[in-house]
């Protein structure tokens, strides 16, 4: 019996051929779809139609519990994850639980935002630490991501800023303004790997109506000549 942790890639047809084959296996009776870490660029019905399967929604509580691992002791279970499956620490913890409980598991990788970011024309080697912008709530306005950006800038590295899926672009801009940090011109990446769109400007100048989820922001540091050329191609 095996727990299959399967990446879906970035678009509805992004899953690997092997992943698709496993899902069609008669041995797999339970197929779960994680739905809390991303704003899907397609509907669940579109995914199920493409893969010819039926899925069960897996919320955070289920994925972070040991229930999937316990199920996989007695039957094959699949967990579908948007993008590449091991980008979140939750999924690494899931694998560690399998190891502790001696449950077989298999990871099937797929394309992720870290692959598609290359469409920006920036060098992957010039990115520093990745950080996240959460949605602020009352008495919860973490700004630690600014420290990461500053640290990256100190070594002339760009920052990939991942944005909480519940945060609309207008709210995102408002939060970033309240940090009083000078972001300068950024690259806004919309629907990476699906129909990638890039906007190079100051945040307040980017038309919110054009920003489709999922989206992220590249906070730029020092640009090389070829990176400047790439940006010119993006905005030409």
């Amino acid at each position: 019996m095996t727990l299959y942790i399967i990446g879906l890639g970035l678009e509805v047809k992004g899953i690997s051929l092997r992943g698709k084959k496993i899902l069609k296996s008669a041995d797999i009776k339970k197929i779960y779809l994680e739905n809390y870490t991303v704003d899907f660029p397609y509907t669940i019905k579109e995914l199920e139609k493409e893969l010819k399967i039926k899925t069960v929604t897996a919320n955070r509580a289920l994925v972070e519990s040991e229930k999937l691992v316990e199920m996989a002791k007695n039957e094959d279970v699949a967990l579908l994850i948007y993008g590449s499956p091991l980008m979140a620490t939750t999924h690494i913890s899931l694998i560690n639980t399998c190891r502790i409980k001696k449950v077989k598991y298999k990871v099937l990788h797929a394309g992720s935002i870290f692959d598609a970011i290359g469409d920006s024309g920036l060098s992957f080697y010039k990115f520093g630490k990745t950080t996240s912008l959460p949605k602020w709530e009352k008495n919860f306005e973490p700004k630690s991501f600014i420290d990461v950006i500053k640290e990256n800038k100190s070594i002339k590295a760009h920052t990939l800023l991942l944005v909480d899926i519940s945060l609309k672009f207008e709210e995102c801009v408002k939060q970033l303004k309240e940090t009083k940090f000078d972001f300068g011109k950024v690259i806004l990446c919309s629907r990476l790997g699906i129909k990638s769109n890039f906007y190079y400007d100051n945040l307040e100048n980017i038309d919110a109506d054009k920003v489709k989820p999922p989206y992220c922001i590249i906070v730029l540091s020092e640009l090389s000549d070829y990176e400047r050329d790439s940006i010119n191609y993006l905005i030409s």
Side-chain angles (χ1 to χ4, degrees):
M1 304 296 102
T2 304
L3 174 60
Y4 292 95
I5 303 173
I6 303 175
L8 290 172
L10 298 174
E11 56 182 331
V12 74
K13 296 184 179 181
I15 192 172
S16 67
L17 290 175
R18 190 176 181 196
K20 205 168 184 178
K21 184 177 180 181
I22 286 172
L23 292 178
K24 289 181 179 179
S25 166
D27 294 331
I28 293 189
K29 301 291 191 270
K30 293 181 180 177
I31 301 173
Y32 291 89
L33 175 65
E34 184 186 281
N35 74 334
Y36 65 88
T37 55
V38 71
D39 191 353
F40 283 90
Y42 47 76
T43 67
I44 293 176
K45 284 186 177 180
E46 287 172 328
L47 177 68
E48 290 178 333
K49 183 179 179 181
E50 172 63 30
L51 301 180
K52 297 179 175 59
I53 59 171
K54 288 292 181 183
T55 63
V56 177
T57 297
N59 58 23
R60 182 185 295 274
L62 176 62
V63 177
E64 291 184 350
S65 72
E66 297 182 358
K67 289 181 181 178
L68 294 177
V69 178
E70 291 297 325
M71 290 179 198
K73 287 181 178 180
N74 303 306
E75 59 184 327
D76 288 338
V77 178
L79 175 63
L80 306 182
I81 299 164
Y82 183 75
S84 188
L86 296 187
M87 292 302 172
T89 53
T90 299
H91 308 136
I92 295 173
S93 296
L94 200 58
I95 287 174
N96 287 340
T97 302
C98 286
R99 290 168 175 157
I100 292 167
K101 294 184 173 290
K102 301 189 184 309
V103 173
K104 284 181 62 179
Y105 68 89
K106 180 66 180 176
V107 179
L108 281 79
H109 298 280
S112 75
I113 188 173
F114 294 97
D115 302 298
I117 203 71
D119 287 348
S120 68
L122 302 178
S123 170
F124 180 80
Y125 295 102
K126 287 196 64 181
F127 279 81
K129 293 179 182 177
T130 298
T131 189
S132 301
L133 174 64
K135 184 172 183 176
W136 289 353
E137 307 289 349
K138 186 176 181 180
N139 300 320
F140 178 73
E141 297 184 358
K143 300 182 178 70
S144 57
F145 63 93
I146 295 294
D147 295 330
V148 176
I149 294 171
K150 288 178 179 178
E151 182 181 343
N152 287 341
K153 279 184 174 288
S154 73
I155 58 171
K156 299 181 180 180
H158 309 311
T159 304
L160 176 60
L161 180 61
L162 303 177
V163 181
D164 189 292
I165 63 170
S166 64
L167 200 57
K168 293 182 179 178
F169 183 63
E170 298 96 324
E171 297 174 289
C172 169
V173 173
K174 182 180 179 182
Q175 285 188 193
L176 293 178
K177 276 186 176 181
E178 290 182 18
T179 66
K180 306 299 183 184
F181 181 77
D182 182 11
F183 290 88
K185 283 191 173 182
V186 303
I187 295 179
L188 188 289
C189 312
S190 175
R191 295 174 68 82
L192 274 177
I194 307 149
K195 187 179 180 183
S196 300
N197 287 306
F198 299 93
Y199 305 96
Y200 174 58
D201 209 332
N202 294 317
L203 283 163
E204 59 270 20
N205 294 336
I206 297 173
D207 186 350
D209 291 334
K210 293 182 178 180
V211 179
K212 306 299 180 186
Y215 71 93
C216 62
I217 296 167
I218 302 174
V219 183
L220 298 168
S221 185
E222 186 175 299
L223 295 166
S224 64
D225 289 340
Y226 76 83
E227 286 180 317
R228 290 185 186 281
D229 290 341
S230 297
I231 291 174
N232 288 332
Y233 288 128
L234 286 178
I235 63 177
S236 62

